[in-house]
Amino acid sequence: MHTASPHTIFIDATQPGLHLDAGRDDNVGGARTLSAAAYTDTVGMTVESCVNFCSTGSNAYIYAGVEYAQECYCGNYFASGATNVSTSDCNMACTGNSGEFCGAGNRLDIFWSGAQPPAPPILVPSVGNWSLLGCYNDSATRALPYGIGVTGSVTVESCTTACFNAGYPHAGMEYADECYCGLTIENNSGPTPNSDCDMTCAGNSSEYCGGPYRLSMYNYTQAITTPPVVNPVNPGTGTVSPVTSGLTGNWTYGGCYVDNVNGRVLGNEFDSNTMTVETCIANCAGQNFTIAGIEYSTQCFCASEACGGPNRLSVYSSNGNITLLPVPVVQTTNLPGQWTYEGCLAEPAIGARIFQYENEWTTNNTVDACLNQCAAFGYPVAGLEYGVQCFCGDVSDIAAGGGTYVSDSQCNIACSGDPIHLCGGLSRLSTYYWNGTMNTWNTPANTGYYEFFIGGLVVPLIATVGINNKVTFLEKHGTSEYNNSTGAYELDLSLVDNYQLAWREMHLQTDVFCSGSIVLPDKGGRQINIGGWSLSSTFGVRLYTPDGSPGVNGTNDWEENVNELTLQRGRWYPTAMMMPNGSILVVGGESGSNASPQPSLEILPKPPGGDTVITLDYLQRTDPNNLYPFLLVMPSGRFFIGYYNEARVLDPVTFDTVTVLPNMPGAVNNFLAGRTYPMEGSAVLLPQHAPYTDPIEVLICGGSTIGAAIALDNCISIAPEVANPTWTLERMPSKRVMPCITTLPGVAGFGLATDPNLSAILYDPSKPIGQRMSILNNTIVARLYHSEATLLPDGRVLVSGSDPQTYYPNGSFVYPEEMRIEFTISETDWALGGQYSITVTLFQGTTSNMRISLVAASSSTHGNVMSGGRILFPAFSCSGTTCTITAPPNAYVSPPGWHQLFILDGPTPSHSAWVRIGGDPWTAGQLA
């Protein structure tokens, strides 16, 4: 018995440009990893039976491979391009033994005898008077039109002999076990690299017999006096006739059909040296097909059963119905949306891709499906290839990738899901363009400025603007790159011209690496930080009360006392959110650095009654792709949670699931892409306007795929509480993973790119879908991991690290103070639903076009704006220069906390003033 050790090799059967498992489908350009011999057993395949088949009698091969639960392949060599993959990819149980794995789709469990392979196969240079011309391309319209049977299995010798006996001076071997003859080489066939003919002959593994759509082409160098046979047949003996009785179940003989006039009539090929009508029907029935066709006597030696001739099919049906489909054509009408057919696009070489994004749909590829997929993700070009592939991209990709348009006749393979239409060919794409503008990415006249702000001390992980109008930064303490780092620093924005005075050193006791922070609703506007790197720091709860004023240092520092206040569970990469009742919801993370998951939630401060941690099965299921989950309060009082590529709405009391939302769209070619850490996108709430009756929307931008970690180039949004909510996808001008989004006083978001996407994007939700993004200026600083973007009181955006990003909506480099709105406010502690007066001084415009916004205090880390970056546009009325603002109506629209109040006159924001809305609703269990 062979076991998976020590001679098991796991091979990825997908080769760039080719389909290594396409032997189950004919004429799709595939080449198997092992191609010398094969058989299928739909009910009894085991590793042992496959190894026995590949190592006995004429099948004396050193490799045996099981695939797709029921297929066995043999050979002495691997096809070029086969690569090792994870053993977990081979996860289909064998049909004959559920305790063994037999590969998977496009995956082989390969077993090695331990012997060394014989000398490598060659393209035989000559056989008698036959000389090798080389490797020639072939297509559905054959280069050599006459398929012919041979005596024994296909070899160079048997094929050239059969063609000589039939009177033809050209012989070609293809796909290991096919032989074709012709008087001339037809249909513009010509030489290709000899390496394209890489499949060993079915009858002699030391010789090459072509490849997928490739012929080992031979020419007879002497005169042939025998007149050519018009329809060559197998030289078998005895009387043959179709099997018409004694068939399994309802199977009946349907007749003899012509094959290969315009490509293969049937796909899903199964080859066997012991083929019978019965075994063919069993194979087709086992895969739930209703028609079986037996062809090509080279694959079935018949004495009393007819299994078709060359280019002839003996066809059987299980239900008596045989539908004859027309010859497939290019689909140019009834296309979805604004799509139009452009032509047949040739790739510059086999394996060279023009478009980056590929979907492989082996059974359901159609033109409509491909065009709809590309359009849904914002790609204006779609290309279909090999019958089973759908590519998406841009018009600019064609010139960049070296594509050229060729005759439509070279796109000649039927779609796997629509046999009456064509889906490209070998390295040929049936290409479609979107006739119109799919994405409008605005480039405003004013794209903003970057300016150096101040040199940084450390690489901060968390940035928070305090109610003292200073910015606190937290960094790794104990694991910092700097031995003398104290882990916390405060930046006085009024002193940035004096580096020595601008920074105040603060101190941490434990490591806050990858922790979470929010701002409390108490009068002191305390900042709270929870979780951390490892051991005791993962339980940490740290508090800082901002003090001092612009130009005047404070004296308060970060406080932490594990004897008074800790989390109930240790957490690394947790998210914190202020709940409407003033307590803090803490969700997710891991128990330590790269340690076990912590798929649970807890309340801070800990309610009375012992342990109150609630395990969340959906976080357990999606670990480790759900760190730093997105948490947001909905106007209904319910909570939105986004994790990995899923989202749901939770009850605010029981935390039970109220609504499971549709999965988040990912990449155009990978629905498993994620949005939370480690694939990290960024999420914010879109603005709410009084009277707050419109459904609130959540915006999530960026992320990446699993494994290869290809960054996403789209934003998605959803209104979670409408009936039948769905995600809306908008393509971004470029790909982004771990972006930073900051809600601005006048528009919804600012995205700072990363790794190293140097451009910024302005997102304006007041514009139509597909037209909301504007491309702003570029920076020379690559913003990578742990960069943050923070809204400052003067409306600028500070990018932490070494260089700020400043966006000036009116195009000026420095805000002219004399042109800004100014206002005074006396009451800064607002009750929900209350009305409060301000006095404004306008230097341009009137109060009729003035706007007021409230931007909730938040902390940002890893692009996660905790508490959602909430921005409100409250109702207000003005009489002269006195304006009365109505506070939000309840804690669901606006959970208790501090907000920056901005006044906007046209595009220019005022300096903000801090107001507290909703008070401090805790009645017990106050944080120490």
Side-chain angles (χ1 to χ4, degrees), residues 396-474:
S396 58
D397 295 336
I398 296 174
T404 56
Y405 282 97
V406 296
S407 169
D408 281 355
S409 64
Q410 295 188 38
C411 287
N412 49 29
I413 298 177
C415 305
S416 63
D418 179 10
I420 68 172
H421 290 118
L422 294 169
C423 285
L426 177 65
S427 296
R428 301 292 186 268
L429 299 110
S430 299
T431 306
Y432 296 80
Y433 284 5
W434 181 267
N435 183 22
T437 301
M438 183 170 284
N439 307 290
T440 298
W441 296 316
N442 305 295
T443 304
N446 166 35
T447 59
Y449 289 85
Y450 291 79
E451 62 174 347
F452 179 80
F453 196 56
I454 190 172
L457 294 176
V458 293
V459 178
L461 278 65
I462 301 174
T464 308
V465 177
I467 65 170
N468 60 354
N469 285 333
K470 299 180 182 183
V471 185
T472 59
F473 295 103
L474 300 180

Side-chain angles (χ1 to χ4, degrees), residues 571-584:
R571 299 179 187 273
W572 186 53
Y573 283 101
T575 296
M577 181 192 76
M578 181 60 60
M579 296 200 297
N581 66 1
S583 54
I584 301 169

Side-chain angles (χ1 to χ4, degrees), residues 201-220:
C201 301
N204 187 345
S205 62
S206 69
E207 301 175 344
Y208 282 126
C209 280
Y213 284 97
R214 292 296 185 266
L215 287 158
S216 298
M217 186 72 74
Y218 289 82
N219 177 49
Y220 194 73

Side-chain angles (χ1 to χ4, degrees), residues 36 109 121 246 350 584 725:
D109 276 322
I350 292 178
I584 301 169

Side-chain angles (χ1 to χ4, degrees), residues 875-895:
F876 70 94
S877 60
C878 296
S879 176
T881 60
T882 300
C883 297
T884 301
I885 304 170
T886 301
N890 56 60
Y892 304 148
V893 170
S894 178

Side-chain angles (χ1 to χ4, degrees), residues 164-169 220 222-228:
F164 177 84
N165 292 337
Y168 291 97
Y220 194 73
Q222 303 295 319
I224 295 181
T225 57
T226 304

Side-chain angles (χ1 to χ4, degrees), residues 333-390:
T333 59
N334 299 318
L335 299 172
Q338 297 172 232
W339 289 99
T340 59
Y341 177 68
E342 186 68 17
C344 183
L345 181 65
E347 293 174 324
I350 292 178
R353 294 302 188 210
I354 292 176
F355 303 112
Q356 176 181 356
Y357 299 104
E358 174 190 350
N359 291 286
E360 183 121 354
W361 298 329
T362 56
T363 60
N364 59 346
N365 194 30
T366 68
V367 172
D368 281 14
C370 182
L371 303 189
N372 286 331
Q373 181 74 358
C374 294
F377 285 81
Y379 296 98
V381 179
L384 300 101
E385 185 172 359
Y386 289 134
V388 299
Q389 293 175 333
C390 167

